[in-house]
Amino acid sequence: MQAASPTAKMLTGLALLGLLGGAWGIIEALMYGTHATGLGSFVPWGLGVALYLTFLGFSAGGLPLALATTVFGKHEYEELSGLVAWTVVVTELCAGLAIILDLGHMERMYRFMTAPSFTSPMAWMFVFFNALLLVYLLKIYNLLNKNAVWVHRLTMISVPVALLFYGTNGYIFGVLVTHPVWGGPLIPFYFIVAALMAGTALMCFLSWAFNYKAKLTMGVGYGVLALILLFALLEILIGLTGFQSGDTDTRLTLKAILSGSNGLVFWSLHVGLGMVIPVFLLLRHTVGSTALGSFCVMASFLATRWVFVIPPQSVPPLPGLDQAFIHERLALTYTPHLGEWLVVLFVFSLSLLGFVLGPRLLPGLFQQGGKNV
Amino acid sequence: MRVTLATEDPLITMQRDLKRALENKTAKARWVMVIDLAKCIGCHACTVACATENALPPGVVYRPVMEEEIGEYPNVSRRFLPRPCMQCQNPPCVPVCPVQATWKDDEGVTVVDYEKCIGCRFCLKACPYGARTSDFGEAYSKNTPELDGVLLGRTNVEQGYAKRTAAEYDKEWGDRKRNSPVGNARKCHFCLHRVHNGQLPSCVTSCVGRATLFGDLNDPASLVHKMVASPRVMRLKEHLGTDPHVYYLT
């Protein structure tokens, strides 16, 4: 194991502190399940789902890299293969932890294997989640063993698997055709673009943090810029079609996203920190500003997921249903409990620990200058 | 003019219909509910009866009654709309379940297997009627003071009423704690555990205005079969193609 640098030591300490602080959230989730959350029957998907989708997005960095190297022949980016493979595994495991803790009966997860229902997008999500994890675990093994042939094959396999995985997560929402904003055929594509944006931003920032060539960081940065613009275009299209559709629930939902306390999150964190500032920074064409711009996209991505997941659930399925039987679990509002935020802290700290320990545990994976594929 | 009053309480008629449906061994019943909105007085007795029958914890409701105020003073009226599970024949909540924990049974009622449900709450989001609720493990005894005495002591309450789980789906579910149905999706099931034992659903028997009718749609002689043919019939969100088995008379 390599000796740790002072920065690595500080980050390890920070991660351990976060794990310690967030541990209560995990304990509470294990002991009390969803009882410990602020969820209700009208807002049954909350911070846990947003956290899962956040790390799901972070795990998407492998897809643009695989496309760049295999489809577009940009072989110089193969140097990032090890870093990205490690990132995918770490972030996928964090995403998995986030969503398992959100289940009412996590001990029955085995039913995904023993009794899957393939009419459900969620069953497919489970399949592709594990498939992608397996592909990248095998890729790490082959990268460490310098097996270029299998690394190339696995990179090729990872492209359709990743597209199906991220598309399936969008399909979970898209299939809810009666749900305002969520339902529709555009949503799976929206999810793929969102994941690509976040995953590429993480890859860009990490390539800078791990001192890869500035040229690589800058190149990935252009990808982040293009994906931010594409993502913004998709959001504008969803907004415009929603407002002009004439559907009352869709309009109410869009208003819930764009105004009030959710509006503050949308405009300041999602649009401001997640789009406007990164675009400004990425256009400066310096490696530092590129990394910082990518960091802003990452830092705001939980807010990006929040505005997609939470506000659309604030419109009742039938008018007046929320007033028919009053209870906090039957409200249209949602405020996460402390335990849920502690789970967020734990999962982010776990990923930080993963990134800090990665180069020390598997230094061969983070070799620079050489071609991994 | 001579006024003829109904000679038989609809409950008696429905009870006879139910007996006939259960005795019919040649064809399975197709249970439907008909709710006459003109007769509903918004007393919420059905909501309470349902909660008692199924020992529903706080935050779980199978049959809320929605209220709507219509018109402007001085021409104002109120309309009440009970909303049980619609028992859709094309239920959107079923195909989204990733682990085969919910399905439409051969009597047309969508049921949940509490021991299979993983609590992902996907079905809650898929239901266009908001008819599914999640059991978050709440208890009415939560804020009960811990004092001596059978009525006041939280421990006594927890070991009594709050501990009780109804025999939904003809099964004793045991202590609540974190066991199912805690953590599960829950929904109205037309009180199948009562129906199979010759009793009408609790919301039907408790309805003081006889606004809720229940029976077998496959039986042409049943009361519900006659009511479904009324020109006053409508179903909620019919355009979605869910084919609800709850009919409203407007």
Side-chain angles (χ1 to χ4, degrees):
Chain A
M1 193 180 279
Q2 288 180 345
S5 66
T7 312
K9 278 181 184 169
M10 189 195 74
L11 290 173
T12 307
L14 207 62
L16 290 174
L17 210 62
L19 288 172
L20 198 67
W24 176 245
I26 305 292
I27 293 167
E28 204 177 49
L30 292 171
M31 283 176 67
Y32 305 112
T34 50
H35 181 72
T37 68
L39 296 168
S41 290
F42 295 137
V43 191
W45 289 350
L47 194 56
V49 171
L51 182 64
Y52 162 71
L53 295 176
T54 300
F55 276 88
L56 179 87
F58 289 159
S59 74
L63 180 56
L65 182 76
L67 286 171
T69 54
T70 59
V71 178
F72 299 106
K74 303 278 185 189
H75 295 289
E76 63 270 27
Y77 291 100
E78 286 166 1
E79 196 176 326
L80 296 172
S81 293
L83 168 70
V84 169
W86 180 252
T87 304
V88 172
V89 170
V90 168
T91 50
E92 260 218 271
L93 290 175
C94 287
L97 177 65
I99 203 64
I100 287 171
L101 291 171
D102 197 57
L103 292 176
H105 283 281
M106 63 183 90
E107 76 281 4
R108 293 182 190 151
M109 280 287 290
Y110 69 92
R111 288 194 57 80
F112 273 104
M113 286 176 279
T114 58
S117 168
F118 291 115
T119 56
S120 172
M122 203 176 275
W124 287 107
M125 180 204 78
F126 181 81
V127 170
F128 293 123
F129 177 96
N130 288 294
L132 194 67
L133 191 61
L134 182 67
V135 165
Y136 275 94
L137 284 172
L138 288 172
K139 192 170 171 180
I140 286 176
Y141 176 79
N142 283 286
L143 279 167
L144 292 172
N145 288 300
K146 307 284 182 196
N147 190 341
V149 175
W150 267 102
V151 168
H152 182 69
R153 283 178 188 162
L154 289 163
T155 305
M156 297 290 279
I157 294 169
S158 75
V159 174
V161 173
L163 281 171
L164 286 166
F165 177 49
Y166 300 114
T168 305
N169 278 279
Y171 180 36
I172 288 176
F173 291 88
V175 80
L176 301 171
V177 287
T178 60
H179 201 290
V181 175
W182 285 358
L186 190 62
I187 297 301
F189 180 62
Y190 171 82
F191 257 73
I192 292 172
V193 175
L196 281 173
M197 181 183 74
T200 312
L202 179 61
M203 187 167 71
C204 182
F205 176 74
L206 289 178
S207 70
W208 172 81
F210 283 92
N211 291 314
Y212 281 84
K213 288 177 199 142
K215 189 183 156 196
L216 295 180
T217 304
M218 294 292 291
V220 179
Y222 292 130
V224 178
L225 182 63
L227 286 162
I228 292 172
L229 295 175
L230 179 59
F231 188 66
L233 177 69
L234 281 174
E235 289 208 322
I236 291 167
L237 285 175
I238 291 171
L240 285 178
T241 49
F243 271 120
Q244 294 188 340
S245 69
D247 179 61
T248 311
D249 285 355
T250 304
R251 285 184 184 188
L252 286 172
T253 303
L254 287 169
K255 278 181 186 169
I257 293 172
L258 301 174
S259 58
S261 56
N262 288 314
L264 196 67
V265 176
F266 182 87
W267 293 110
S268 61
L269 292 178
H270 170 50
V271 176
L273 185 62
M275 288 180 170
V276 177
I277 293 174
V279 166
F280 173 73
L281 288 168
L282 289 162
L283 284 173
R284 292 187 69 189
H285 303 298
T286 64
V287 68
S289 64
T290 300
L292 187 59
S294 297
F295 182 77
C296 288
V297 174
M298 289 160 46
S300 63
F301 198 57
L302 183 60
T304 300
R305 294 308 205 186
W306 174 279
V307 293
F308 180 79
V309 175
I310 316 298
Q313 300 179 79
S314 62
V315 177
L318 293 170
L321 187 57
D322 55 309
Q323 297 299 313
F325 197 86
I326 304 294
H327 190 268
E328 60 191 18
R329 298 287 189 187
L330 293 166
L332 294 171
T333 53
Y334 164 65
T335 307
H337 286 179
L338 177 64
E340 292 170 87
W341 286 112
L342 290 177
V343 169
V344 173
L345 176 65
F346 188 91
V347 174
F348 269 95
S349 302
L350 192 65
S351 68
L352 178 60
L353 191 67
F355 292 127
V356 177
L357 289 185
R360 297 187 64 198
L361 294 172
L362 302 169
L365 211 56
F366 296 83
Q367 277 177 2
Q368 295 179 26
K371 277 193 171 184
N372 281 315
V373 183
Chain B
M1 193 176 81
R2 187 176 171 180
V3 177
T4 309
L5 295 174
T7 53
E8 186 173 74
D9 188 321
L11 274 182
I12 307 292
T13 312
M14 286 187 286
Q15 196 67 58
R16 198 168 48 241
D17 291 350
L18 177 61
K19 191 178 176 208
R20 196 166 57 247
L22 293 173
E23 285 172 354
N24 184 359
K25 303 294 178 195
T26 55
K28 274 281 180 185
R30 210 158 35 118
W31 303 121
V32 298
M33 197 169 270
V34 181
I35 301 170
D36 192 338
L37 299 182
K39 288 184 177 176
C40 179
I41 59 168
C43 68
H44 298 266
C46 55
T47 310
V48 176
C50 171
T52 309
E53 174 66 33
N54 295 295
L56 300 182
V60 176
V61 62
Y62 289 174
R63 190 184 162 99
V65 178
M66 295 185 289
E67 299 184 18
E68 188 185 10
E69 203 167 282
I70 305 161
E72 286 181 17
Y73 179 83
N75 300 308
V76 184
S77 62
R78 299 187 84 187
R79 182 167 60 189
F80 307 99
L81 193 137
R83 198 256 31 225
C85 170
M86 297 293 121
Q87 311 298 356
C88 306
Q89 297 311 287
N90 299 313
C93 55
V94 168
V96 299
C97 176
V99 294
Q100 300 182 35
T102 185
W103 63 90
K104 185 162 67 71
D105 75 0
D106 51 8
E107 294 172 319
V109 177
T110 301
V111 294
V112 181
D113 188 329
Y114 289 154
E115 288 178 330
K116 291 179 179 172
C117 175
I118 59 168
C120 68
R121 307 180 294 281
F122 199 178
C123 55
L124 267 72
K125 291 314 310 176
C127 176
Y129 306 101
R132 286 178 176 244
T133 45
S134 184
D135 189 336
F136 289 96
E138 299 285 344
Y140 282 108
S141 55
K142 188 179 171 184
N143 296 316
T144 309
E146 183 59 280
L147 296 169
D148 291 337
V150 176
L151 287 177
L152 282 174
R154 183 165 54 233
T155 308
N156 287 323
V157 174
E158 282 173 354
Q159 288 172 354
Y161 175 81
K163 186 183 173 184
R164 177 180 161 248
T165 304
E168 287 180 279
Y169 303 112
D170 295 316
K171 186 174 174 182
E172 291 296 336
W173 295 95
D175 290 0
R176 276 179 60 75
K177 294 180 184 167
R178 278 206 62 194
N179 303 323
S180 287
V182 173
N184 291 138
R186 300 183 68 173
K187 64 180 285 297
C188 156
H189 36 68
F190 275 0
C191 281
L192 281 178
H193 57 284
R194 285 172 62 96
V195 170
H196 290 156
N197 288 295
Q199 293 177 299
L200 291 164
S202 60
C203 56
V204 176
T205 54
S206 61
C207 182
V208 293
R210 302 292 184 259
T212 301
L213 310 173
F214 178 83
D216 176 12
L217 195 63
N218 282 341
D219 178 4
S222 68
L223 182 59
V224 289
H225 195 278
K226 290 169 192 164
M227 301 311 284
V228 162
S230 163
R232 292 165 57 207
V233 153
M234 70 96 175
R235 294 185 288 179
L236 292 181
K237 296 189 177 181
E238 205 162 358
H239 63 282
L240 298 178
T242 50
D243 192 8
H245 262 188
V246 173
Y247 296 81
Y248 292 91
L249 297 176
T250 56

